[in-house]
Amino acid sequence: MKDVVKSNVLGSLITLVAGALIGFFGVFVSVFSDGLVYERLVTILIVLIIYGIVGIVLGFLKPTYTWLYMLSLSMPGVIILALYSSREFNILYVAYILLILAFSFFGTKTGKSMKRKKK
């Protein structure tokens, strides 16, 4: 029982660090940097795809608490974006926050279902 709890805590911490890295180097850079709208959209799409891929991997490796891994993956990026939007509000940032949550959620659910089908 202790090994399962230790594994879940360690997995959550690793996911939180990965989420912080994606949040800072992906989300923050995608809204903070100057560039054309097309360049920003491409960067945002790449960041969302990374959230989805990492979510699939997490859901596949740890299919038990997918909601915990989804939150620890997406919350650093959501918090960084919310803090940034408090200084420079743009309604599209709300959509970006929702997309981050959606890609993380559906990524972990997809990984969980892939693991279930493999068994």
Side-chain angles (χ1 to χ4, degrees):
M1 182 71 175
K2 278 188 173 183
D3 291 335
V4 173
V5 172
K6 188 186 290 188
S7 172
N8 286 333
V9 169
L10 183 63
S12 295
L13 289 176
I14 291 171
T15 305
L16 195 62
V17 169
L21 290 173
I22 297 169
F24 183 75
F25 292 109
V27 174
F28 186 66
V29 170
S30 70
V31 296
F32 186 70
S33 63
D34 292 331
L36 301 173
V37 174
Y38 175 74
E39 292 171 348
R40 282 186 176 209
L41 288 176
V42 168
T43 305
I44 288 170
L45 182 63
I46 290 171
V47 169
L48 291 173
I49 290 171
I50 290 171
Y51 271 113
I53 290 172
V54 172
I56 289 172
V57 170
L58 288 171
F60 187 78
L61 293 177
K62 292 289 200 173
T64 51
Y65 296 106
T66 55
W67 59 272
L68 177 68
Y69 294 114
M70 184 275 294
L71 286 177
S72 56
L73 177 65
S74 61
M75 275 299 130
V78 168
I79 291 170
I80 289 171
L81 190 56
L83 290 174
Y84 180 77
S85 67
S86 69
R87 304 273 275 149
E88 290 185 30
F89 182 74
N90 187 344
I91 194 69
L92 295 176
Y93 294 159
V94 176
Y96 194 12
I97 288 172
L98 293 175
L99 285 172
I100 289 171
L101 291 170
F103 271 69
S104 299
F105 174 75
F106 288 117
T108 55
K109 289 295 183 182
T110 302
K112 181 179 179 177
S113 68
M114 288 170 59
K115 179 75 169 195
R116 203 174 329 147
K117 287 181 183 177
K118 187 172 178 143
K119 286 183 179 181

